[in-house]
Amino acid sequence: ELVLKVRIQTPNLRENDFIEIELDRQELTYKELLRVSCHELGVNPEHVQKIRKLPNTMLRKDKDVARLQDFQELELVLTVSDKNSLFRVPTLSEQSGYNKKASELTY
């Protein structure tokens, strides 16, 4: 596994801590990095403008992701549109307490 530190770029917040995410080294692609980062941070992937390797390098393709090393710091730069829709609402199956078998019962 490759361990990376990821956060949302928010210059106006005092506290903007990183979280650590793990990526399978066999699946080091831009798409997988975006998917895992957005899932862990609760962000809708459609609202990510770019992924920045700190301090100032934009990641653009799979080869850029393949060069990342453990504990590198990344930021998701979000598009500014409707602030209410930036964060992904978990689907019913992702919410705690959801019972998939119970949802498939037929009457």
Side-chain angles (χ1 to χ4, degrees):
E1 288 184 337
L2 174 67
V3 179
L4 300 170
K5 295 167 61 175
V6 183
R7 70 180 181 188
I8 299 169
Q9 186 245 353
T10 51
N12 54 352
L13 287 182
R14 269 186 158 169
E15 286 190 38
N16 191 18
D17 295 332
F18 288 93
I19 63 166
E20 291 182 355
I21 63 168
E22 297 85 22
L23 291 176
D24 185 342
R25 290 189 187 268
Q26 305 303 316
E27 296 181 31
L28 285 181
T29 64
Y30 184 88
K31 185 177 180 179
E32 183 65 5
L33 172 62
L34 179 64
R35 185 191 71 76
V36 172
S37 298
C38 287
H39 177 74
E40 292 290 328
L41 291 168
V43 174
N44 187 332
E46 295 174 5
H47 295 292
V48 176
Q49 181 180 359
K50 62 184 171 182
I51 300 176
R52 176 185 297 133
K53 180 175 77 170
L54 294 178
N56 58 4
T57 304
M58 183 172 62
L59 298 179
R60 301 173 295 138
K61 55 190 175 188
D62 293 349
K63 284 186 178 183
D64 297 341
V65 175
R67 286 191 289 269
L68 293 174
Q69 298 176 1
D70 277 329
F71 301 103
Q72 284 196 295
E73 296 178 345
L74 306 176
E75 280 185 334
L76 299 184
V77 179
L78 304 180
T79 57
V80 181
S81 56
D82 179 14
K83 289 185 180 182
N84 295 331
S85 65
L86 288 178
F87 295 95
R88 184 179 59 81
V89 176
T91 64
L92 190 59
S93 62
E94 293 174 330
Q95 294 174 6
S96 62
Y98 176 75
N99 184 337
K100 182 170 174 51
K101 286 189 177 186
S103 71
E104 295 172 348
L105 290 176
T106 56
Y107 294 95

